Amino acid sequence: MKIKIYTTGGTIDKVYFDRKSDYQVGDPQAHGVLARANVVLEYEVESIIRKDSLDFTDEDRELIRKRIESSPSERIVITHGTDTMIRTAKVLEGISGKTIVMTGSMYPAQFRDSDAVFNIGCAVTAAQILEPGVYIAMNGRIFNPRNARKNVELNIFEEIE
Amino acid sequence: MKIKIYTTGGTIDKVYFDRKSDYQVGDPQAHGVLARANVVLEYEVESIIRKDSLDFTDEDRELIRKRIESSPSERIVITHGTDTMIRTAKVLEGISGKTIVMTGSMYPAQFRDSDAVFNIGCAVTAAQILEPGVYIAMNGRIFNPRNARKNVELNIFEEIE
Amino acid sequence: MKIKIYTTGGTIDKVYFDRKSDYQVGDPQAHGVLARANVVLEYEVESIIRKDSLDFTDEDRELIRKRIESSPSERIVITHGTDTMIRTAKVLEGISGKTIVMTGSMYPAQFRDSDAVFNIGCAVTAAQILEPGVYIAMNGRIFNPRNARKNVELNIFEEIE
Amino acid sequence: MKIKIYTTGGTIDKVYFDRKSDYQVGDPQAHGVLARANVVLEYEVESIIRKDSLDFTDEDRELIRKRIESSPSERIVITHGTDTMIRTAKVLEGISGKTIVMTGSMYPAQFRDSDAVFNIGCAVTAAQILEPGVYIAMNGRIFNPRNARKNVELNIFEEIE
């Protein structure tokens, strides 16, 4: 079972550029995370977009959908900024025959105490097990994007009751 | 959905005691891993045994089985040394109505590049999704203990073909 | 011998605020670094300013000078943004009887691979050994601020030849 | 000014071998520490011995002394196990014209919260500044080996009063 990991930027891939004294979206971190975890999965990492997800346009989301639709893989993880992850998830609904798990992180993967490694572990596992559909793997849980939101105050994902 | 995490020692919980210039099984690391990952799961961590799994006796495995059988939770993660994880998994077979996912790590959780955080992410996710049964979550995959082994040379878990 | 550590912000203290998808100068990191290094020094950490050093005004530098001049300690470390560290160092020249060592980091202390821990080790050591004067401890070396510059291209401090 | 770093094993270089479920002295960590700290020093790392310092023989200490005596460098750092660091330091006394700074760590350099990076920063700085002689750089301080001991209870180096 081969897993395809598409990266689209977001906090998880943010690095620090001292010359600009700023964070910017850098190289995808997923490959390094999986290599350090010593996984024996067959997987490929492919970058679609490198942006803060607050800056995503409708065209960006269409591009992501097209790339997923035409992907040869049925087991897909997408790393994505958390601010509009749910919005993109809804654009991906209705793609048949594919298990699509979106994840990201609240802190850049390069931080000592980032949630990125844990979240990618969750997403890769969910992608292997779950039925076709679109899911959010954040904060240790698997959410249906129709019933989830990012609670910006608490900096967590939660179910809409 | 509440998850119960039972710890039994193993490499994942090994710390370094300089006075003895030696490692020893220390406090369970699972709680710290989950706290840093900022999970919103309901979970409890409980220590059953603190040993290198090579030193487990039949009584130790019986104790683990009894504790799991009498656990009020149906979603269970067990952290365990990798060397005899599969043997303990087989002792746990046949407990009905519980999803039991075993995990551990090849490097202590306190290492910079440990696989512990990733593996606990995988195990916690699998425990929430899978049907009742006993599973091994290692190296990014979910194994049936009947068809898996630890490849000591490569330091990975793999399917028996 | 007591060491006083004054913090003024800069990259070393930058944290990541996901809600703004932005970094900001946060709590001083020096105390955590020294605690994890298990130092047996007598030291105190005191925050003077929390800014990116590119935003420092002449008034900010005068404030720093006044605080150092009136400091009861003769062994002083200042953590500071790297972009204008040398400019502040020159403002501090001529304070008699005090060994003043400035340091900072190219990557925030909260990063996995930050230079912050190493640099604070260098600065604290230099502050204990060197004669009164103003020094820069960066990139493993001790610079005289009159003969040093930040090479922005290479992201290192170097001697002016 | 070129610095020569000699490694002799000890906790700082201990890695974890899962196959033996044991820590052992592995590859010298000093080079990785200096590379991550982005130093601009000229330096070379050379391994003399790879042992727990509790296992050092008189011959081992003589070997270290001979290597230091014949070293072309006048600025020397030695990484060494903490348990017998002071004993080796005394064997190195009387080598003229060389500043020799010994350091090590209470936790292996590969740990998340090791003191290794900080201690190497201290040692490299002291080696550049101090007059010829033999010194111990541990716990943020520079000790004269004649007046220092490892306090095994507290796991720190301290002055003998």
Side-chain angles (χ1 to χ4, degrees):
Chain A
M1 186 191 310
K2 194 169 194 168
I3 295 186
K4 188 84 186 232
I5 297 163
Y6 293 98
T7 69
T8 69
T11 294
I12 195 169
D13 286 344
K14 280 189 186 162
V15 293
Y16 187 76
F17 290 95
D18 190 63
R19 285 182 58 189
K20 308 191 177 181
S21 292
D22 199 4
Y23 284 105
Q24 291 187 5
V25 175
D27 290 333
Q29 301 291 310
H31 191 81
V33 167
L34 292 165
R36 283 191 292 271
N38 200 25
V39 300
V40 294
L41 295 166
E42 273 189 280
Y43 70 92
E44 279 179 6
V45 179
E46 189 176 322
S47 171
I48 303 181
I49 299 176
R50 294 187 183 199
K51 276 191 189 176
D52 195 310
S53 78
L54 287 169
D55 301 329
F56 274 17
T57 62
D58 288 350
E59 287 71 33
D60 290 328
R61 288 182 222 280
E62 272 313 305
L63 172 63
I64 295 171
R65 183 177 169 110
K66 277 180 191 147
R67 294 287 284 278
I68 305 299
E69 282 181 320
S70 63
S71 171
S73 179
E74 293 175 1
R75 303 283 173 179
I76 288 168
V77 169
I78 303 174
T79 63
H80 193 287
T82 57
D83 285 313
T84 70
M85 188 186 286
I86 287 168
R87 193 166 154 201
T88 301
K90 289 176 181 168
V91 170
L92 297 177
E93 287 189 338
I95 298 177
S96 68
K98 292 187 190 299
T99 299
I100 301 163
V101 183
M102 304 187 70
T103 195
S105 64
M106 299 301 190
Y107 296 94
Q110 294 199 350
F111 269 54
R112 275 170 60 89
D113 286 334
S114 173
D115 48 335
V117 173
F118 186 88
N119 292 352
I120 290 179
C122 294
V124 161
T125 301
Q128 292 174 77
I129 301 173
L130 289 168
E131 296 294 301
V134 183
Y135 308 89
I136 305 282
M138 286 296 295
N139 298 105
R141 296 185 56 192
I142 305 299
F143 296 96
N144 175 339
R146 297 228 152 258
N147 304 328
R149 70 174 161 219
K150 180 178 173 183
N151 182 324
V152 176
E153 285 300 322
L154 299 179
N155 213 23
I156 54 168
F157 278 69
E158 63 187 7
E159 269 186 2
I160 301 166
E161 319 210 349
Chain B
M1 186 191 309
K2 194 168 194 168
I3 295 186
K4 189 84 186 231
I5 298 163
Y6 293 97
T7 68
T8 68
T11 293
I12 194 168
D13 286 343
K14 279 186 187 164
V15 294
Y16 186 78
F17 290 95
D18 191 64
R19 286 183 58 189
K20 307 191 178 182
S21 292
D22 199 6
Y23 73 87
Q24 289 185 7
V25 174
D27 290 333
Q29 300 291 310
H31 191 81
V33 167
L34 292 165
R36 283 192 292 271
N38 200 25
V39 301
V40 294
L41 296 166
E42 274 189 280
Y43 71 91
E44 280 178 8
V45 178
E46 191 176 319
S47 170
I48 303 180
I49 299 175
R50 294 188 183 198
K51 277 192 188 175
D52 195 310
S53 78
L54 287 169
D55 300 329
F56 274 18
T57 62
D58 288 350
E59 287 70 33
D60 290 327
R61 289 182 222 281
E62 270 314 305
L63 172 63
I64 295 171
R65 183 177 169 110
K66 276 180 190 147
R67 293 288 284 277
I68 304 299
E69 281 180 322
S70 64
S71 171
S73 180
E74 295 175 1
R75 304 283 173 179
I76 288 168
V77 168
I78 303 174
T79 62
H80 193 288
T82 57
D83 284 313
T84 69
M85 187 186 287
I86 286 168
R87 193 166 154 201
T88 301
K90 288 176 181 168
V91 170
L92 298 177
E93 287 190 338
I95 298 177
S96 68
K98 293 187 190 298
T99 300
I100 301 163
V101 182
M102 304 187 72
T103 195
S105 63
M106 299 301 190
Y107 296 94
Q110 293 199 352
F111 269 55
R112 277 169 57 90
D113 286 334
S114 172
D115 48 336
V117 173
F118 186 88
N119 291 352
I120 291 179
C122 294
V124 162
T125 301
Q128 292 174 78
I129 301 173
L130 289 167
E131 296 294 301
V134 183
Y135 308 89
I136 305 281
M138 286 296 294
N139 299 104
R141 296 183 57 190
I142 306 299
F143 296 96
N144 175 339
R146 297 228 154 258
N147 305 327
R149 70 174 161 219
K150 181 179 174 183
N151 181 325
V152 176
E153 286 299 322
L154 298 179
N155 213 23
I156 55 168
F157 279 70
E158 63 186 8
E159 268 185 2
I160 301 166
E161 319 211 349
Chain C
M1 188 190 309
K2 195 169 193 168
I3 295 186
K4 189 84 186 232
I5 298 163
Y6 293 97
T7 69
T8 68
T11 294
I12 195 168
D13 286 344
K14 280 187 187 163
V15 295
Y16 187 77
F17 289 95
D18 192 63
R19 287 183 57 190
K20 308 191 177 181
S21 292
D22 198 7
Y23 72 87
Q24 289 184 7
V25 175
D27 290 333
Q29 301 291 311
H31 191 80
V33 167
L34 292 165
R36 284 192 292 271
N38 200 26
V39 300
V40 293
L41 295 166
E42 274 189 280
Y43 70 92
E44 280 179 7
V45 179
E46 189 176 320
S47 171
I48 303 180
I49 300 175
R50 292 188 184 199
K51 277 191 188 176
D52 195 309
S53 78
L54 287 170
D55 300 329
F56 274 18
T57 62
D58 288 349
E59 287 69 35
D60 290 328
R61 288 183 222 279
E62 273 313 305
L63 173 63
I64 295 171
R65 183 176 169 111
K66 277 180 190 146
R67 294 288 284 277
I68 304 300
E69 280 181 321
S70 63
S71 171
S73 180
E74 294 176 1
R75 303 282 173 180
I76 288 169
V77 168
I78 303 174
T79 63
H80 193 288
T82 57
D83 285 313
T84 70
M85 187 185 287
I86 287 169
R87 193 167 154 200
T88 301
K90 289 176 181 168
V91 170
L92 297 177
E93 288 190 337
I95 298 178
S96 67
K98 292 186 189 300
T99 299
I100 302 162
V101 182
M102 304 188 69
T103 195
S105 64
M106 299 302 191
Y107 295 94
Q110 294 199 350
F111 269 55
R112 276 169 59 89
D113 287 334
S114 173
D115 48 336
V117 174
F118 186 88
N119 291 352
I120 290 178
C122 294
V124 162
T125 301
Q128 292 174 78
I129 301 174
L130 289 168
E131 297 294 301
V134 183
Y135 308 88
I136 304 283
M138 286 295 296
N139 298 105
R141 295 184 59 191
I142 306 299
F143 297 96
N144 175 340
R146 297 229 152 256
N147 304 327
R149 69 175 162 220
K150 180 178 174 184
N151 181 323
V152 177
E153 285 300 321
L154 299 179
N155 213 23
I156 55 168
F157 279 68
E158 64 187 7
E159 270 187 1
I160 300 168
E161 318 208 350
Chain D
M1 188 191 308
K2 194 168 195 170
I3 295 185
K4 189 85 187 231
I5 298 163
Y6 293 97
T7 69
T8 68
T11 294
I12 194 168
D13 286 344
K14 279 187 186 163
V15 295
Y16 187 76
F17 289 94
D18 192 63
R19 287 183 57 189
K20 307 190 177 183
S21 292
D22 199 3
Y23 284 104
Q24 291 187 4
V25 174
D27 290 332
Q29 301 291 310
H31 191 80
V33 168
L34 292 165
R36 284 192 291 270
N38 200 26
V39 301
V40 295
L41 296 166
E42 275 189 279
Y43 70 92
E44 280 179 7
V45 179
E46 189 176 321
S47 171
I48 302 181
I49 300 175
R50 294 188 184 200
K51 278 191 187 176
D52 196 309
S53 77
L54 287 169
D55 300 329
F56 274 17
T57 62
D58 288 348
E59 287 70 33
D60 290 328
R61 288 182 223 279
E62 271 312 305
L63 172 64
I64 295 172
R65 183 177 168 110
K66 277 182 189 146
R67 293 288 284 277
I68 304 300
E69 281 181 320
S70 63
S71 171
S73 180
E74 295 176 0
R75 304 283 173 178
I76 289 169
V77 168
I78 303 174
T79 63
H80 194 288
T82 57
D83 285 314
T84 69
M85 187 185 287
I86 287 168
R87 193 166 154 202
T88 301
K90 288 175 181 168
V91 170
L92 297 177
E93 287 190 338
I95 297 179
S96 68
K98 293 186 190 299
T99 300
I100 301 163
V101 182
M102 304 189 71
T103 195
S105 64
M106 299 301 191
Y107 296 93
Q110 294 199 351
F111 269 56
R112 276 169 60 89
D113 287 335
S114 173
D115 48 336
V117 173
F118 186 87
N119 291 353
I120 291 179
C122 294
V124 162
T125 301
Q128 292 174 78
I129 300 175
L130 289 168
E131 296 295 301
V134 183
Y135 308 89
I136 304 283
M138 285 295 295
N139 299 105
R141 295 184 59 191
I142 306 299
F143 297 96
N144 175 339
R146 297 228 153 257
N147 305 326
R149 69 174 162 220
K150 181 178 174 184
N151 181 323
V152 176
E153 285 301 320
L154 299 178
N155 213 23
I156 55 168
F157 279 69
E158 64 187 7
E159 269 186 2
I160 301 168
E161 320 210 349

